[in-house]
Coordinates of all heavy atoms in Angstrom, one line a residue:
M191 N 146.6 32.7 -25.4 CA 147.1 31.3 -25.6 C 146.6 30.4 -24.4 O 146.4 30.9 -23.3 CB 148.6 31.3 -25.6 CG 149.3 32.2 -26.6 SD 149.2 31.5 -28.2 CE 150.8 30.6 -28.3
A192 N 146.4 29.1 -24.8 CA 146.0 28.2 -23.7 C 146.6 26.8 -24.1 O 146.5 26.4 -25.3 CB 144.5 28.1 -23.6
N193 N 147.1 26.1 -23.2 CA 147.5 24.7 -23.4 C 146.3 23.8 -23.3 O 145.7 23.8 -22.2 CB 148.6 24.3 -22.4 CG 149.9 25.0 -22.7 OD1 150.5 24.7 -23.8 ND2 150.4 25.8 -21.8
I194 N 146.0 23.1 -24.4 CA 144.9 22.3 -24.4 C 145.4 20.8 -24.6 O 146.2 20.6 -25.5 CB 143.9 22.6 -25.6 CG1 143.5 24.1 -25.6 CG2 142.7 21.7 -25.6 CD1 142.7 24.5 -24.5
T195 N 144.9 19.9 -23.8 CA 145.3 18.5 -24.0 C 144.2 17.7 -24.5 O 143.1 17.7 -24.0 CB 145.8 17.9 -22.6 OG1 146.9 18.6 -22.2 CG2 146.1 16.5 -22.8
Y196 N 144.4 17.0 -25.7 CA 143.5 16.2 -26.3 C 143.9 14.7 -26.0 O 145.0 14.3 -26.2 CB 143.5 16.4 -27.8 CG 143.2 17.8 -28.3 CD1 144.2 18.7 -28.3 CD2 142.0 18.1 -28.8 CE1 144.0 20.0 -28.8 CE2 141.8 19.4 -29.3 CZ 142.8 20.3 -29.3 OH 142.5 21.6 -29.7
I197 N 142.9 14.0 -25.5 CA 143.2 12.5 -25.2 C 142.3 11.7 -26.1 O 141.0 11.8 -26.0 CB 142.9 12.2 -23.7 CG1 143.9 13.1 -22.9 CG2 143.2 10.7 -23.5 CD1 143.7 12.9 -21.4
E198 N 142.9 11.0 -27.1 CA 142.1 10.2 -28.0 C 141.6 8.9 -27.3 O 142.1 8.5 -26.3 CB 143.0 9.9 -29.2 CG 143.4 11.2 -30.0 CD 144.3 10.9 -31.2 OE1 143.8 10.3 -32.1 OE2 145.4 11.3 -31.1
S199 N 140.7 8.2 -27.9 CA 140.1 7.0 -27.3 C 141.1 6.0 -27.2 O 141.0 5.1 -26.3 CB 138.9 6.5 -28.1 OG 139.3 6.2 -29.4
S200 N 142.2 6.0 -28.0 CA 143.3 5.0 -27.9 C 144.2 5.3 -26.7 O 145.0 4.5 -26.3 CB 144.2 5.1 -29.1 OG 144.8 6.4 -29.2
G201 N 144.0 6.5 -26.1 CA 144.8 6.9 -24.9 C 145.9 7.8 -25.3 O 146.6 8.4 -24.5
N202 N 146.1 8.0 -26.6 CA 147.1 9.0 -27.1 C 146.8 10.4 -26.6 O 145.6 10.8 -26.7 CB 147.2 9.0 -28.6 CG 148.0 7.9 -29.2 OD1 148.7 7.3 -28.5 ND2 147.9 7.8 -30.5
S203 N 147.8 11.0 -26.1 CA 147.5 12.4 -25.5 C 148.4 13.4 -26.2 O 149.6 13.1 -26.4 CB 147.9 12.3 -24.0 OG 147.8 13.6 -23.5
T204 N 147.9 14.5 -26.6 CA 148.6 15.6 -27.3 C 148.3 16.9 -26.7 O 147.1 17.2 -26.5 CB 148.3 15.6 -28.8 OG1 148.4 14.3 -29.4 CG2 149.2 16.6 -29.5
T205 N 149.3 17.7 -26.3 CA 149.0 19.0 -25.7 C 149.5 20.0 -26.7 O 150.6 20.0 -27.3 CB 149.7 19.2 -24.4 OG1 149.2 18.2 -23.5 CG2 149.5 20.6 -23.8
I206 N 148.6 21.0 -27.0 CA 148.8 22.1 -28.0 C 148.7 23.4 -27.3 O 147.8 23.6 -26.5 CB 147.8 22.0 -29.1 CG1 148.0 20.7 -29.9 CG2 147.9 23.2 -30.1 CD1 146.9 20.4 -30.9
N207 N 149.6 24.3 -27.6 CA 149.5 25.7 -27.2 C 148.7 26.4 -28.2 O 149.2 26.8 -29.3 CB 150.9 26.3 -27.0 CG 150.8 27.6 -26.2 OD1 151.3 28.6 -26.7 ND2 150.2 27.6 -25.1
L208 N 147.4 26.7 -27.9 CA 146.5 27.2 -28.9 C 146.3 28.7 -28.8 O 146.1 29.2 -27.8 CB 145.1 26.5 -28.7 CG 144.1 26.5 -29.8 CD1 144.7 25.9 -31.1 CD2 142.9 25.7 -29.4
T209 N 146.5 29.3 -30.0 CA 146.3 30.8 -30.1 C 144.9 31.2 -29.7 O 144.0 30.6 -30.1 CB 146.7 31.2 -31.5 OG1 148.0 30.8 -31.8 CG2 146.6 32.7 -31.7
D210 N 144.8 32.3 -29.0 CA 143.5 32.9 -28.7 C 142.7 33.0 -30.0 O 143.1 33.5 -31.0 CB 143.6 34.2 -28.0 CG 144.2 34.1 -26.6 OD1 144.3 33.0 -26.1 OD2 144.4 35.2 -26.0
G211 N 141.4 32.6 -29.9 CA 140.5 32.8 -31.0 C 140.4 31.6 -31.9 O 139.5 31.4 -32.6
W212 N 141.4 30.7 -31.8 CA 141.4 29.5 -32.6 C 140.4 28.5 -31.9 O 140.4 28.5 -30.6 CB 142.7 28.8 -32.7 CG 143.6 29.3 -33.8 CD1 143.9 30.6 -34.1 CD2 144.3 28.5 -34.8 NE1 144.7 30.7 -35.2 CE2 144.9 29.4 -35.6 CE3 144.4 27.2 -35.0 CZ2 145.7 29.0 -36.7 CZ3 145.1 26.7 -36.1 CH2 145.8 27.6 -36.9
S213 N 139.7 27.7 -32.6 CA 138.8 26.8 -32.0 C 139.6 25.5 -31.6 O 140.6 25.2 -32.2 CB 137.6 26.4 -32.9 OG 138.0 25.6 -33.9
L214 N 139.0 24.8 -30.7 CA 139.6 23.5 -30.3 C 139.6 22.5 -31.5 O 140.5 21.7 -31.7 CB 138.9 22.8 -29.2 CG 139.4 23.2 -27.8 CD1 139.4 24.7 -27.5 CD2 138.6 22.5 -26.7
M215 N 138.7 22.7 -32.4 CA 138.7 21.8 -33.6 C 139.8 22.2 -34.5 O 140.6 21.4 -35.1 CB 137.3 22.0 -34.4 CG 137.2 21.2 -35.7 SD 138.0 22.0 -37.1 CE 136.8 23.3 -37.5
Q216 N 140.0 23.5 -34.8 CA 141.1 24.0 -35.6 C 142.5 23.5 -35.0 O 143.4 23.1 -35.8 CB 141.1 25.5 -35.7 CG 140.0 26.1 -36.5 CD 139.9 27.6 -36.5 OE1 139.8 28.2 -35.4 NE2 140.0 28.2 -37.6
G217 N 142.6 23.6 -33.7 CA 143.9 23.2 -33.1 C 144.1 21.7 -33.4 O 145.3 21.3 -33.6
A218 N 143.1 20.9 -33.3 CA 143.2 19.5 -33.5 C 143.6 19.1 -34.9 O 144.5 18.4 -35.2 CB 142.0 18.7 -33.0
T219 N 142.8 19.7 -35.9 CA 143.0 19.3 -37.3 C 144.3 19.8 -37.8 O 145.0 19.2 -38.6 CB 141.8 19.8 -38.1 OG1 141.7 21.2 -38.0 CG2 140.5 19.1 -37.8
A220 N 144.8 21.0 -37.3 CA 146.0 21.6 -37.8 C 147.2 20.8 -37.2 O 148.4 20.9 -37.7 CB 146.1 23.0 -37.3
N221 N 147.0 20.0 -36.2 CA 148.1 19.3 -35.5 C 148.0 17.8 -35.7 O 148.6 17.0 -34.9 CB 148.2 19.7 -34.1 CG 148.7 21.1 -33.9 OD1 149.9 21.3 -33.9 ND2 147.8 22.1 -33.7
G222 N 147.2 17.3 -36.6 CA 147.1 15.9 -36.9 C 146.5 15.0 -35.9 O 146.8 13.8 -35.8
I223 N 145.6 15.6 -35.1 CA 145.0 14.7 -34.1 C 143.8 14.0 -34.7 O 142.8 14.7 -35.2 CB 144.5 15.6 -32.9 CG1 145.8 16.2 -32.2 CG2 143.6 14.8 -31.9 CD1 145.5 17.2 -31.1
D224 N 143.8 12.7 -34.8 CA 142.9 12.0 -35.6 C 141.5 12.0 -35.0 O 140.5 11.7 -35.8 CB 143.4 10.5 -35.7 CG 144.6 10.4 -36.6 OD1 144.8 11.3 -37.4 OD2 145.4 9.4 -36.4
G225 N 141.3 12.2 -33.8 CA 140.0 12.0 -33.1 C 139.0 13.1 -33.5 O 137.8 12.9 -33.1
I226 N 139.4 14.1 -34.2 CA 138.5 15.2 -34.6 C 138.6 15.4 -36.1 O 139.7 15.5 -36.6 CB 138.8 16.5 -33.8 CG1 138.4 16.4 -32.3 CG2 138.1 17.7 -34.5 CD1 138.5 17.6 -31.5
L227 N 137.4 15.3 -36.7 CA 137.4 15.5 -38.2 C 137.1 16.9 -38.6 O 137.8 17.5 -39.5 CB 136.4 14.5 -38.8 CG 136.6 13.0 -38.5 CD1 135.5 12.2 -39.2 CD2 138.0 12.6 -38.9
G228 N 136.1 17.5 -38.1 CA 135.8 18.9 -38.5 C 135.4 19.1 -39.9 O 135.8 20.0 -40.6
E229 N 134.5 18.2 -40.4 CA 134.2 18.1 -41.8 C 133.6 19.4 -42.4 O 133.7 19.7 -43.6 CB 133.3 16.9 -42.1 CG 134.1 15.6 -42.1 CD 133.2 14.4 -42.3 OE1 132.0 14.5 -42.3 OE2 133.9 13.3 -42.5
C230 N 132.8 20.1 -41.6 CA 132.1 21.3 -42.1 C 133.0 22.5 -42.0 O 132.6 23.6 -42.3 CB 130.8 21.5 -41.4 SG 130.9 22.1 -39.7
G231 N 134.2 22.4 -41.4 CA 135.1 23.5 -41.3 C 134.8 24.5 -40.2 O 135.4 25.5 -40.1
G232 N 133.9 24.0 -39.3 CA 133.7 24.8 -38.1 C 132.4 25.6 -38.1 O 132.2 26.5 -37.3
S233 N 131.5 25.3 -39.1 CA 130.2 26.1 -39.2 C 129.1 25.4 -38.4 O 127.9 25.7 -38.7 CB 129.9 26.3 -40.6 OG 129.8 25.1 -41.3
C234 N 129.4 24.5 -37.5 CA 128.4 23.9 -36.6 C 127.3 23.1 -37.5 O 126.1 23.3 -37.2 CB 127.7 25.0 -35.8 SG 126.9 24.3 -34.3
A235 N 127.8 22.4 -38.4 CA 126.9 21.7 -39.3 C 127.2 20.3 -39.6 O 126.6 19.7 -40.5 CB 126.9 22.5 -40.7
C236 N 128.2 19.7 -38.8 CA 128.5 18.3 -39.1 C 128.6 17.4 -37.9 O 128.5 16.2 -38.0 CB 129.8 18.2 -39.9 SG 131.3 18.6 -38.9
A237 N 128.9 17.9 -36.8 CA 129.0 17.1 -35.5 C 130.2 16.2 -35.5 O 130.2 15.2 -34.7 CB 127.7 16.4 -35.2
T238 N 131.2 16.4 -36.4 CA 132.3 15.5 -36.4 C 133.5 16.1 -35.6 O 134.7 15.7 -35.8 CB 132.8 15.2 -37.9 OG1 133.2 16.4 -38.5 CG2 131.7 14.5 -38.6
C239 N 133.2 17.0 -34.8 CA 134.2 17.6 -33.9 C 133.8 17.4 -32.4 O 134.2 18.1 -31.6 CB 134.4 19.1 -34.2 SG 133.0 20.1 -33.9
H240 N 133.0 16.4 -32.2 CA 132.5 16.1 -30.9 C 133.6 15.8 -29.9 O 134.6 15.1 -30.2 CB 131.6 14.8 -31.0 CG 130.9 14.3 -29.8 ND1 130.5 13.0 -29.6 CD2 130.6 14.9 -28.6 CE1 130.0 12.9 -28.4 NE2 130.0 14.0 -27.8
C241 N 133.5 16.3 -28.7 CA 134.5 16.0 -27.7 C 133.8 16.1 -26.3 O 132.7 16.6 -26.2 CB 135.7 17.0 -27.7 SG 135.2 18.7 -27.3
Y242 N 134.5 15.5 -25.4 CA 134.0 15.4 -24.0 C 135.0 16.3 -23.2 O 136.2 16.0 -23.0 CB 134.1 14.0 -23.4 CG 133.2 13.0 -24.2 CD1 133.9 12.0 -24.9 CD2 131.9 13.1 -24.3 CE1 133.1 11.0 -25.6 CE2 131.1 12.2 -25.0 CZ 131.7 11.2 -25.6 OH 131.0 10.3 -26.4
V243 N 134.4 17.4 -22.6 CA 135.2 18.4 -21.9 C 135.4 17.9 -20.4 O 134.4 17.4 -19.9 CB 134.5 19.8 -22.0 CG1 135.3 20.8 -21.1 CG2 134.5 20.2 -23.4
D244 N 136.5 18.1 -19.9 CA 136.8 17.8 -18.5 C 135.6 18.4 -17.7 O 135.5 19.7 -17.7 CB 138.1 18.4 -18.1 CG 138.4 18.3 -16.6 OD1 137.6 17.7 -15.9 OD2 139.5 18.8 -16.2
E245 N 134.9 17.6 -16.9 CA 133.7 18.1 -16.3 C 134.0 19.2 -15.2 O 133.1 20.1 -15.0 CB 132.9 17.0 -15.6 CG 132.3 16.1 -16.7 CD 131.6 14.9 -16.1 OE1 132.0 14.4 -15.1 OE2 130.6 14.5 -16.7
T246 N 135.2 19.2 -14.7 CA 135.5 20.2 -13.7 C 135.7 21.6 -14.3 O 135.8 22.6 -13.6 CB 136.8 19.8 -12.8 OG1 137.9 19.8 -13.7 CG2 136.6 18.4 -12.2
R247 N 135.8 21.6 -15.6 CA 136.1 22.9 -16.3 C 134.9 23.4 -17.1 O 135.0 24.4 -17.8 CB 137.3 22.7 -17.3 CG 138.6 22.3 -16.6 CD 139.2 23.4 -15.7 NE 139.4 24.6 -16.3 CZ 140.5 24.9 -17.0 NH1 141.5 24.0 -17.2 NH2 140.7 26.1 -17.6
L248 N 133.8 22.7 -17.0 CA 132.6 23.1 -17.8 C 132.2 24.6 -17.6 O 131.9 25.3 -18.5 CB 131.4 22.2 -17.6 CG 131.5 20.8 -18.3 CD1 130.3 20.0 -17.8 CD2 131.4 21.0 -19.8
A249 N 132.4 25.0 -16.4 CA 132.0 26.4 -16.0 C 132.9 27.4 -16.7 O 132.5 28.6 -16.8 CB 131.9 26.6 -14.5
D250 N 134.1 27.0 -17.1 CA 135.0 28.0 -17.8 C 134.6 28.2 -19.2 O 135.2 29.1 -19.8 CB 136.4 27.4 -17.7 CG 136.9 27.3 -16.3 OD1 136.5 28.1 -15.4 OD2 137.8 26.5 -16.0
L251 N 133.7 27.4 -19.7 CA 133.4 27.5 -21.2 C 132.1 28.3 -21.4 O 131.2 28.3 -20.5 CB 133.2 26.1 -21.8 CG 134.3 25.3 -22.3 CD1 135.4 25.1 -21.2 CD2 133.9 24.0 -22.8
P252 N 132.1 29.0 -22.5 CA 130.8 29.7 -22.8 C 129.7 28.6 -23.0 O 130.0 27.5 -23.4 CB 131.0 30.4 -24.1 CG 132.5 30.2 -24.4 CD 133.1 29.2 -23.5
A253 N 128.5 28.9 -22.6 CA 127.4 28.0 -22.8 C 127.2 27.6 -24.3 O 127.5 28.4 -25.1 CB 126.1 28.6 -22.2
A254 N 126.7 26.4 -24.5 CA 126.5 26.0 -25.9 C 125.3 26.8 -26.5 O 124.3 27.0 -25.8 CB 126.2 24.5 -25.9
S255 N 125.4 27.2 -27.7 CA 124.3 27.9 -28.4 C 123.2 26.9 -28.7 O 123.4 25.7 -28.7 CB 124.9 28.5 -29.7 OG 125.2 27.5 -30.6
E256 N 122.1 27.4 -29.1 CA 121.0 26.6 -29.6 C 121.4 25.7 -30.8 O 121.1 24.5 -30.9 CB 119.8 27.5 -30.1 CG 119.1 28.2 -28.9 CD 118.3 27.3 -28.1 OE1 117.6 26.4 -28.6 OE2 118.4 27.4 -26.8
G257 N 122.2 26.3 -31.7 CA 122.7 25.6 -32.8 C 123.6 24.4 -32.4 O 123.5 23.3 -33.0
E258 N 124.5 24.7 -31.5 CA 125.4 23.6 -31.0 C 124.6 22.5 -30.4 O 124.8 21.3 -30.6 CB 126.4 24.2 -30.1 CG 127.4 23.1 -29.6 CD 128.5 23.6 -28.7 OE1 128.6 24.8 -28.5 OE2 129.2 22.7 -28.1
L259 N 123.6 22.9 -29.5 CA 122.8 21.9 -28.8 C 122.0 21.0 -29.8 O 121.9 19.8 -29.7 CB 121.8 22.5 -27.8 CG 122.5 23.2 -26.6 CD1 121.5 24.0 -25.8 CD2 123.2 22.1 -25.8
A260 N 121.5 21.7 -30.9 CA 120.8 20.9 -31.9 C 121.7 19.9 -32.6 O 121.4 18.8 -32.9 CB 120.2 21.9 -32.9
M261 N 122.9 20.4 -32.9 CA 123.9 19.5 -33.7 C 124.4 18.4 -32.8 O 124.7 17.3 -33.3 CB 125.0 20.4 -34.2 CG 125.9 19.7 -35.3 SD 125.0 19.0 -36.6 CE 124.1 20.4 -37.3
L262 N 124.4 18.6 -31.5 CA 124.9 17.6 -30.6 C 123.9 16.4 -30.6 O 124.3 15.3 -30.2 CB 125.0 18.1 -29.2 CG 126.3 18.9 -28.9 CD1 126.3 19.7 -27.6 CD2 127.6 17.9 -28.9
E263 N 122.7 16.6 -31.1 CA 121.8 15.5 -31.3 C 122.3 14.5 -32.3 O 121.8 13.3 -32.4 CB 120.4 16.0 -31.7 CG 119.8 17.0 -30.8 CD 119.1 16.3 -29.6 OE1 118.8 15.2 -29.7 OE2 118.9 17.0 -28.6
H264 N 123.2 14.9 -33.1 CA 123.6 14.0 -34.3 C 125.0 13.5 -34.1 O 125.6 13.0 -35.1 CB 123.5 14.9 -35.5 CG 122.2 15.4 -35.8 ND1 121.1 14.6 -36.2 CD2 121.7 16.7 -35.6 CE1 120.0 15.4 -36.3 NE2 120.3 16.6 -35.9
V265 N 125.6 13.5 -32.9 CA 127.0 13.0 -32.8 C 126.9 11.4 -33.0 O 125.9 10.8 -32.7 CB 127.6 13.3 -31.4 CG1 127.8 14.8 -31.3 CG2 126.7 12.9 -30.3
A266 N 128.0 10.9 -33.5 CA 128.1 9.5 -33.8 C 128.3 8.6 -32.5 O 127.9 7.5 -32.4 CB 129.2 9.2 -34.8
S267 N 129.0 9.2 -31.6 CA 129.3 8.4 -30.3 C 128.3 8.9 -29.2 O 127.6 9.9 -29.4 CB 130.8 8.7 -29.9 OG 131.6 8.1 -30.8
E268 N 128.3 8.2 -28.1 CA 127.4 8.6 -27.0 C 127.5 10.0 -26.7 O 128.6 10.6 -26.5 CB 127.8 7.7 -25.8 CG 127.0 8.0 -24.6 CD 127.6 7.4 -23.3 OE1 128.7 6.8 -23.4 OE2 126.9 7.5 -22.3
R269 N 126.3 10.7 -26.6 CA 126.3 12.0 -26.1 C 126.3 12.0 -24.6 O 125.5 11.3 -24.0 CB 125.1 12.8 -26.6 CG 125.0 14.2 -26.2 CD 123.8 14.9 -26.7 NE 123.8 16.3 -26.2 CZ 122.8 17.1 -26.5 NH1 121.8 16.8 -27.3 NH2 122.8 18.4 -26.0
R270 N 127.1 12.8 -23.9 CA 127.2 12.9 -22.5 C 126.9 14.3 -22.0 O 127.0 15.2 -22.8 CB 128.5 12.4 -22.0 CG 128.9 11.0 -22.4 CD 130.3 10.6 -22.1 NE 130.6 9.3 -22.6 CZ 131.9 8.9 -22.7 NH1 132.9 9.6 -22.3 NH2 132.1 7.7 -23.3
P271 N 126.7 14.5 -20.7 CA 126.5 15.8 -20.2 C 127.6 16.8 -20.5 O 127.4 18.0 -20.6 CB 126.3 15.6 -18.7 CG 125.8 14.2 -18.5 CD 126.5 13.5 -19.7
N272 N 128.8 16.3 -20.7 CA 130.0 17.1 -21.0 C 130.3 17.1 -22.5 O 131.4 17.5 -22.8 CB 131.2 16.7 -20.1 CG 131.6 15.3 -20.4 OD1 130.8 14.4 -20.8 ND2 132.8 15.0 -20.0
S273 N 129.4 16.7 -23.3 CA 129.6 16.7 -24.7 C 129.6 18.1 -25.3 O 128.7 18.9 -24.9 CB 128.6 15.9 -25.5 OG 128.8 14.5 -25.3
R274 N 130.6 18.5 -26.1 CA 130.6 19.8 -26.8 C 131.1 19.6 -28.2 O 131.7 18.5 -28.5 CB 131.5 20.8 -26.0 CG 131.0 21.2 -24.7 CD 129.7 22.0 -24.7 NE 129.8 23.2 -25.5 CZ 130.0 24.4 -25.0 NH1 130.2 24.6 -23.7 NH2 130.0 25.5 -25.8
L275 N 130.9 20.6 -29.0 CA 131.5 20.6 -30.3 C 132.7 21.5 -30.3 O 132.7 22.6 -29.9 CB 130.5 21.2 -31.4 CG 129.2 20.3 -31.6 CD1 128.3 21.0 -32.6 CD2 129.6 18.9 -32.0
A276 N 133.9 20.8 -30.7 CA 135.2 21.5 -30.5 C 135.3 22.8 -31.4 O 136.0 23.7 -31.1 CB 136.3 20.6 -30.8
C277 N 134.5 22.8 -32.4 CA 134.6 24.0 -33.3 C 133.9 25.3 -32.7 O 134.1 26.4 -33.1 CB 134.0 23.8 -34.7 SG 132.2 23.6 -34.7
Q278 N 133.1 25.0 -31.6 CA 132.4 26.1 -31.0 C 133.1 26.6 -29.7 O 132.6 27.5 -29.0 CB 131.0 25.6 -30.7 CG 130.2 25.2 -31.9 CD 130.0 26.3 -32.9 OE1 129.5 27.4 -32.6 NE2 130.6 26.1 -34.1
I279 N 134.2 26.0 -29.4 CA 135.0 26.5 -28.2 C 136.3 27.2 -28.7 O 137.1 26.5 -29.3 CB 135.3 25.3 -27.3 CG1 134.0 24.5 -26.9 CG2 136.1 25.7 -26.1 CD1 134.3 23.2 -26.2
K280 N 136.4 28.4 -28.4 CA 137.5 29.2 -28.8 C 138.5 29.3 -27.7 O 138.2 29.5 -26.5 CB 137.1 30.6 -29.3 CG 136.0 30.7 -30.4 CD 136.7 30.3 -31.7 CE 135.8 30.7 -32.9 NZ 134.6 29.8 -33.1
A281 N 139.8 29.2 -28.1 CA 140.9 29.3 -27.1 C 140.9 30.7 -26.5 O 140.7 31.7 -27.1 CB 142.2 29.0 -27.7
S282 N 141.2 30.7 -25.2 CA 141.4 32.0 -24.4 C 142.2 31.6 -23.2 O 142.2 30.4 -22.8 CB 140.1 32.6 -24.1 OG 139.5 31.9 -23.0
P283 N 142.8 32.6 -22.5 CA 143.5 32.2 -21.3 C 142.7 31.5 -20.3 O 143.2 30.7 -19.5 CB 144.0 33.6 -20.8 CG 144.1 34.4 -22.0 CD 142.9 34.0 -22.9
A284 N 141.4 31.7 -20.3 CA 140.5 31.0 -19.3 C 140.5 29.5 -19.5 O 140.1 28.7 -18.6 CB 139.0 31.5 -19.5
L285 N 140.9 29.0 -20.7 CA 140.9 27.6 -20.9 C 142.3 26.9 -20.7 O 142.5 25.7 -20.9 CB 140.5 27.3 -22.4 CG 139.1 27.8 -22.8 CD1 138.8 27.2 -24.2 CD2 138.1 27.4 -21.8
E286 N 143.2 27.7 -20.1 CA 144.5 27.1 -19.8 C 144.4 25.8 -19.1 O 143.7 25.7 -18.1 CB 145.4 28.1 -19.0 CG 146.7 27.6 -18.5 CD 147.6 27.1 -19.7 OE1 147.6 27.7 -20.8 OE2 148.4 26.1 -19.4
G287 N 145.1 24.8 -19.6 CA 145.2 23.5 -19.0 C 143.9 22.6 -19.2 O 143.8 21.5 -18.7
L288 N 143.1 23.0 -20.1 CA 141.8 22.2 -20.4 C 142.2 20.9 -21.0 O 143.1 20.8 -21.8 CB 140.9 23.0 -21.4 CG 139.6 22.3 -21.7 CD1 138.7 22.4 -20.5 CD2 138.9 23.0 -22.9
I289 N 141.5 19.9 -20.5 CA 141.6 18.5 -21.1 C 140.3 18.1 -21.8 O 139.2 18.3 -21.2 CB 141.9 17.5 -20.0 CG1 143.3 17.8 -19.3 CG2 141.9 16.1 -20.5 CD1 143.6 17.0 -18.1
V290 N 140.4 17.7 -23.0 CA 139.2 17.2 -23.7 C 139.5 15.7 -24.1 O 140.6 15.4 -24.6 CB 138.8 18.0 -24.9 CG1 138.4 19.4 -24.5 CG2 140.0 18.2 -25.9
H291 N 138.5 14.9 -23.9 CA 138.6 13.5 -24.4 C 137.9 13.4 -25.7 O 136.8 14.0 -25.9 CB 138.0 12.6 -23.3 CG 138.8 12.5 -22.1 ND1 139.7 11.5 -21.8 CD2 138.9 13.3 -21.0 CE1 140.3 11.7 -20.7 NE2 139.8 12.8 -20.1
L292 N 138.4 12.6 -26.6 CA 137.8 12.5 -27.9 C 137.0 11.1 -28.0 O 137.5 10.1 -27.5 CB 138.8 12.6 -29.0 CG 139.7 13.8 -28.9 CD1 140.7 13.9 -30.0 CD2 138.8 15.1 -28.8
P293 N 135.9 11.1 -28.7 CA 135.1 9.9 -28.7 C 135.8 8.8 -29.7 O 136.7 9.1 -30.4 CB 133.8 10.3 -29.3 CG 134.1 11.6 -30.0 CD 135.2 12.2 -29.3
E294 N 135.3 7.6 -29.6 CA 135.8 6.5 -30.4 C 135.6 6.8 -31.9 O 136.5 6.5 -32.7 CB 135.1 5.2 -30.1 CG 135.9 4.3 -29.2 CD 135.2 3.0 -28.8 OE1 134.6 2.4 -29.7 OE2 135.1 2.7 -27.6
T295 N 134.5 7.3 -32.2 CA 134.3 7.6 -33.7 C 133.5 8.9 -33.8 O 132.8 9.4 -32.9 CB 133.5 6.5 -34.3 OG1 133.4 6.7 -35.7 CG2 132.1 6.3 -33.7
Q296 N 133.7 9.5 -35.0 CA 133.0 10.8 -35.3 C 132.0 10.6 -36.4 O 131.3 11.5 -36.8 CB 134.0 11.9 -35.7 CG 135.0 12.3 -34.6 CD 134.3 13.2 -33.6 OE1 133.1 13.5 -33.6 NE2 135.2 13.7 -32.7
E297 N 132.0 9.4 -37.0 CA 131.0 9.1 -38.1 C 130.4 7.7 -38.0 O 131.0 6.9 -37.4 CB 131.6 9.4 -39.5 CG 133.1 9.5 -39.6 CD 133.6 9.7 -41.0 OE1 133.1 10.5 -41.7 OE2 134.5 8.9 -41.4
Ligands
FES365 S1 133.4 21.2 -37.4 FE1 131.4 20.7 -38.1 S2 130.2 20.9 -36.3 FE2 132.2 21.4 -35.6

């Protein structure tokens, strides 16, 4: 389990206790967080689960795969060095307290 805090572009903040193995995208969509769409269901094929990970925690995350990096080329909002796809980040105790900011738009 890990407490993950999602901060939407509006400033709305939601913290979820996410079960190990669930992706950050699944946690957001299952809890009604509007800033993540997850249109492809997590198969790294839509880029509508774009998020900005707290830069101080980037080292706690597994590196992005080639497929994720390719899909990050297609995000609707500005791509930044801390851009990731939420469907590719799975909850684990190492992510406890992680904060992710959500972009203004996903499409
Ligand atoms: S849900 Fe489609 S790329 Fe993440």
Side-chain angles (χ1 to χ4, degrees):
M191 302 284 269
N193 286 298
I194 307 293
T195 297
Y196 302 80
I197 301 177
E198 297 178 67
S199 61
S200 64
N202 277 350
S203 172
T204 307
T205 299
I206 294 171
N207 191 237
L208 198 56
T209 301
D210 288 354
W212 275 51
S213 74
L214 270 54
M215 179 279 285
Q216 289 174 304
T219 56
N221 287 278
I223 295 172
D224 291 336
I226 288 186
L227 300 181
E229 286 178 350
C230 75
S233 54
C234 199
C236 72
T238 64
C239 62
H240 180 204
C241 65
Y242 303 115
V243 174
D244 176 2
E245 290 178 326
T246 65
R247 300 293 303 276
L248 282 173
D250 295 334
L251 274 57
S255 67
E256 292 288 318
E258 181 179 351
L259 291 172
M261 194 51 58
L262 281 167
E263 301 282 338
H264 303 287
V265 293
S267 295
E268 176 191 7
R269 181 180 177 183
R270 300 175 188 163
N272 59 338
S273 285
R274 294 294 302 261
L275 295 180
C277 70
Q278 300 300 300
I279 302 171
K280 302 284 195 289
S282 72
L285 299 191
E286 173 58 33
L288 182 71
I289 296 171
V290 294
H291 290 264
L292 308 184
E294 259 179 48
T295 183
Q296 295 283 7
E297 14 177 49

